[in-house]
Amino acid sequence: MITPAFELTQDPDFLTVKIRVPYARASEFDIYFEGEDFKFYAKPYFLRQLTLPGRIVEDGREKASYNTDEGTFTIQLPKEVPGQYFEGLDMLTSLLAPKKSRSAKPLVEEMAASAELPEENEEEFDWEMEQIPYEESTPPLQHPYGFGNLRSGVFQRLQDELSDVIDVKDPDQTPAEERRRQRLAAEAAKFEPDHYLADFFEDEAIKHLLKYKPWWIDAHKKMTTLQGESHQEHDSPAFVVFSEEEREQMRKFTNKSYLLDKRSCRHVYLGLIDILLAYCYEICVNEGDKNVESSWNIRKLSATLCWLEVSFSSIHDVLVSFGRRVLCYPLYRHFELVTRAFNDTVMILQLGKAAVLKCLLDIHKIFMESDPAYILNDLFITDYCIWIQKVK
C-alpha cells in the first residue's frame, strides 16, 4: 500500500482534504470520517488514518470531487463546531499518528487474525494497526548522545566515517563532561587572532552578507504587523508555507512518541537553539544558496552536532558556545554574524513550530545530500522533525 500525497486546508465551516492518487480508479475508493478520524482507501493508495486536531461531522453538507487531469480527490468535510480553528494542519507526520498506542505482540496477533477473516467481516479491519520493524536489542546506554540522549554505540559501527562528521574521538567511551572539556580546549587552540582582526577591520564582504534577508524576516514582519493591528496572536501557518517537497519529507517520516524526562527535555530544547543558530549563520553567509560547505558550516558551528554536547545548562551556555565557534572555525569570523544569527533564531522561534520545522527540514535535506553527514539525521534531525510537530 502507498501512502498518498495529501494536504489539508480549512475555512470557518469546512475542512478540505486534497489527496493525490494518479493511478487509482475514481470508481473504486472508500472514505470514512467521524469525529477526529479520517480514512481513505483507493487501491493501491491507503491513508491509514488521520487524527485531526478538531471534530468533523456527517450532516449532508460534505462533498467530494475527482479531478481526472490531476488525479486528485478533493473532499470537503463540515466542522462539528462552525468557526473552530483547527491547529497544526501542516504537521503531516503528527496527523498520521494512531490514537492508541499498543504493544508489538497484540499487533502481530491482530494482523495475522485479520488476514483470515471472511469477506463479509472486512469492516472489522483495524485501520490503526502499526508495523514495527525488528530492532536489535542493545545494552544499557553508557555514554548516551543524540536526540534526548537516546543513542549510544552508533559510532562503534562507523569508525571509518567518524572523523568526517564529528570532532570528538570515540564518543561511546567518552563521558559528557570529558567531551565538553575537550571541546573547550579545541576551541581555544583553534582561535586565530590574525584571522579575527582581518575580518574585523576588512569587513566589506561581511557588511554585504548582513544585508541578505531570508524568508523568515518578511514572515516575521507580516506577523508582527498583523498582531499590532488586531492585538492578538496569530498562528504561524498563516506566514509559513511548506513546499510540496517539504510535505513529502514529512509524509516519509515514521511517526513516534518520545518519553523524555525533565533533564532530557531541557537538553532537547537547548540543542534545538544551538542547531538553529548554526543554520541561521549558514543561510546568512551563503545568502540562501546551498554549496559544498553548507553541511560543514552547520555541523561545525553546532556543538550539539559536532561534539555531541549534552552539558548545556542554560541558553547563555548555548549562545557562548556558538559565538566561540563562529570566531574560531568558518571562513567569516565576525561578531556581527553572531548577533545576526541570534536575531534570526529569535524570529524563527517567535514564528512558531511551523517555522522551526521548515528550517529543520532544510537541514535534513542538506545532511541527506552530504555523505556522511546523513548520520546526523539519524542521530538528531529526523527526531527533531517529528518531535517539533507535537510540542506546544
Side-chain angles (χ1 to χ4, degrees):
M1 293 294 185
I2 302 171
T3 299
F6 68 94
E7 59 180 295
L8 295 89
T9 57
Q10 64 180 318
D11 59 34
D13 298 317
F14 289 92
L15 173 71
T16 301
V17 186
K18 189 174 182 180
I19 307 173
R20 189 170 184 272
V21 286
Y23 305 112
R25 293 182 180 180
S27 59
E28 299 179 6
F29 69 94
D30 288 313
I31 298 173
Y32 169 84
F33 64 94
E34 181 181 3
E36 298 175 348
D37 297 337
F38 176 86
K39 306 164 187 176
F40 176 88
Y41 171 70
K43 190 177 181 180
Y45 301 97
F46 180 40
L47 197 53
R48 179 185 66 194
Q49 175 166 329
L50 295 182
T51 302
L52 304 173
R55 295 180 64 83
I56 51 179
V57 65
E58 183 177 358
D59 62 4
R61 293 181 295 153
E62 57 276 1
K63 300 177 183 177
S65 60
Y66 181 70
N67 186 317
T68 54
D69 294 333
E70 297 179 357
T72 57
F73 278 100
T74 302
I75 305 156
Q76 279 191 311
L77 306 171
K79 294 180 177 179
E80 185 174 274
V81 180
Q84 180 185 3
Y85 180 76
F86 289 4
E87 294 186 2
L89 292 182
D90 50 352
M91 304 290 133
L92 302 187
T93 310
S94 178
L95 293 176
L96 286 167
K99 292 201 317 186
K100 294 178 282 185
S101 60
R102 307 178 181 184
S103 65
K105 186 176 180 181
L107 285 175
V108 174
E109 293 175 349
E110 216 171 303
M111 186 166 63
S114 65
E116 300 173 0
L117 288 174
E119 288 189 8
E120 59 269 25
N121 291 333
E122 283 186 350
E123 65 271 12
E124 299 298 326
F125 178 75
D126 183 4
W127 290 77
E128 297 183 22
M129 67 182 182
E130 290 184 289
Q131 291 175 289
I132 301 177
Y134 171 79
E135 293 184 0
E136 295 181 7
S137 58
T138 56
L141 306 183
Q142 290 186 337
H143 302 300
Y145 44 78
F147 178 89
N149 296 333
L150 299 175
R151 300 290 190 88
S152 74
V154 175
F155 289 101
Q156 292 177 358
R157 307 187 300 270
L158 300 166
Q159 288 295 332
D160 293 340
E161 302 178 40
L162 173 64
S163 60
D164 294 329
V165 181
I166 62 175
D167 285 352
V168 60
K169 308 300 182 185
D170 198 9
D172 293 299
Q173 303 299 323
T174 308
E177 296 78 9
E178 179 62 16
R179 294 202 294 263
R180 184 183 183 89
R181 188 194 67 77
Q182 291 179 10
R183 173 176 67 83
L184 294 174
E187 290 167 358
K190 181 64 176 174
F191 180 70
E192 298 178 11
D194 290 343
H195 190 142
Y196 170 75
L197 289 172
D199 282 0
F200 181 76
F201 289 110
E202 300 175 11
D203 59 356
E204 291 81 5
I206 291 165
K207 289 186 180 298
H208 171 77
L209 295 174
L210 291 170
K211 294 178 181 178
Y212 174 70
K213 293 184 177 181
W215 62 266
W216 52 78
I217 290 183
D218 286 340
H220 188 270
K221 187 179 297 183
K222 291 177 183 176
M223 182 187 72
T224 305
T225 301
L226 200 56
Q227 288 179 355
E229 293 173 352
S230 61
H231 304 288
Q232 64 181 6
E233 293 188 3
H234 291 266
D235 201 46
S236 58
F239 315 101
V240 180
V241 179
F242 292 103
S243 67
E244 177 54 38
E245 182 180 10
E246 290 165 338
R247 289 195 290 268
E248 179 64 19
Q249 281 180 276
M250 284 188 271
R251 288 191 290 265
K252 288 182 178 179
F253 292 139
T254 300
N255 191 16
K256 62 179 82 170
S257 297
Y258 300 92
L259 299 176
L260 303 174
D261 58 28
K262 187 174 181 179
R263 179 182 177 86
S264 296
C265 190
R266 184 177 183 83
H267 289 158
V268 167
Y269 277 109
L270 294 176
L272 175 64
I273 296 172
D274 185 45
I275 293 168
L276 287 177
L277 287 166
Y279 174 72
C280 288
Y281 174 95
E282 151 61 24
I283 294 297
C284 179
V285 297
N286 284 313
E287 299 178 278
D289 294 329
K290 310 298 189 301
N291 59 37
V292 294
E293 296 296 327
S294 296
S295 171
W296 186 92
N297 275 337
I298 296 171
R299 65 180 191 259
K300 198 72 173 181
L301 297 183
S302 167
T304 300
L305 300 178
C306 197
W307 281 91
L308 308 178
E309 177 65 69
V310 295
S311 301
F312 290 135
S313 60
S314 66
I315 293 176
H316 180 266
D317 277 357
V318 177
L319 302 183
V320 170
S321 170
F322 172 72
R324 285 166 60 95
R325 298 187 73 77
V326 168
L327 301 184
C328 289
Y329 291 102
L331 176 62
Y332 298 109
R333 306 177 188 178
H334 198 286
F335 197 74
E336 283 195 39
L337 292 172
V338 176
T339 55
R340 169 62 186 270
F342 288 178
N343 295 331
D344 282 357
T345 300
V346 169
M347 289 185 196
I348 292 168
L349 294 171
Q350 289 177 338
L351 278 166
K353 63 183 182 182
V356 175
L357 176 58
K358 189 175 180 71
C359 296
L360 289 170
L361 290 171
D362 197 23
I363 296 171
H364 189 278
K365 181 182 178 183
I366 291 171
F367 286 167
M368 188 60 68
E369 296 173 350
S370 174
D371 189 29
Y374 70 87
I375 297 169
L376 297 175
N377 280 342
D378 296 339
L379 289 175
F380 293 98
I381 308 303
T382 297
D383 290 319
Y384 267 114
C385 289
I386 299 170
W387 168 83
I388 196 66
Q389 297 184 52
K390 302 179 182 181
V391 298
K392 295 182 180 180

